[in-house]
Amino acid sequence: NKAFNSSLKTEIKKANHAVETGAENKAEAVRVAVKKLDQAAAKGIVHKNAAARKKAQLAKKLNAANA
């Protein structure tokens, strides 16, 4: 669980950084982070509502960056 949690945080940080810097792969980074969040919620590592909240935050940032 600890290793998975660590990689989850890393993916979220990568996605946030990609969106904030306007990287070309920002949509892909967000997609990978969302997938990782879904896996964590399915395994019970994070609560499903917490995963949904983080996914919504990422989507909101991505949409704002694309607008």
Side-chain angles (χ1 to χ4, degrees):
N1 281 2
K2 188 159 177 119
F4 191 89
N5 210 350
S6 176
S7 64
L8 171 65
K9 287 179 185 176
T10 302
E11 291 300 336
I12 292 171
K13 284 180 196 168
K14 281 183 188 174
N16 277 326
H17 183 68
V19 170
E20 287 165 7
T21 58
E24 286 185 24
N25 64 338
K26 61 187 172 192
E28 176 67 16
V30 169
R31 190 187 66 77
V32 170
V34 165
K35 182 177 180 183
K36 202 78 163 167
L37 277 164
D38 285 335
Q39 289 173 342
K43 289 183 178 182
I45 294 171
V46 295
H47 194 277
K48 66 183 179 92
N49 290 356
R53 185 176 66 243
K54 288 183 187 296
K55 285 166 34 179
Q57 288 169 348
L58 282 172
K60 187 177 178 182
K61 279 186 181 181
L62 182 62
N63 288 337
N66 287 338

